[in-house]
Amino acid sequence: MSFKDKILSSFIALENEVDTETYAHQLRNEALASFEELGIPQRKEEAYKYTSLKSLFNKD
């Protein structure tokens, strides 16, 4: 399972536990849609050029 798939499945699990009628829920949905479209930042993107994401990939 890829890191992106893990994030998406974690979001689905969260959906089952939280109130879906809140503003925070709407923001999470928008953020997830953006993540699905853009994916994980790559080094070629200037804003993330010097940001290490290794710690995220080494954990479940």
Side-chain angles (χ1 to χ4, degrees), residues 10-48:
S10 294
F11 181 80
I12 292 168
L14 176 69
E15 290 277 288
N16 295 328
E17 298 177 13
V18 297
D19 182 11
T20 59
E21 299 300 321
T22 63
Y23 180 67
H25 174 72
Q26 178 185 349
L27 289 176
R28 280 193 300 269
N29 278 336
E30 291 171 9
L32 184 67
S34 177
F35 175 74
E36 286 181 304
E37 181 181 326
L38 301 173
I40 298 168
Q42 303 295 317
R43 287 196 181 270
K44 64 183 177 182
E45 297 175 45
E46 188 64 32
Y48 295 96

Side-chain angles (χ1 to χ4, degrees), residues 1 5 11 15 22 24 26 41 43 49 54-56 59:
M1 178 181 281
D5 292 335
F11 181 80
E15 290 277 288
T22 63
Q26 178 185 349
R43 287 196 181 270
K49 189 171 185 173
K54 288 181 184 179
S55 64
L56 295 175
K59 298 178 183 178

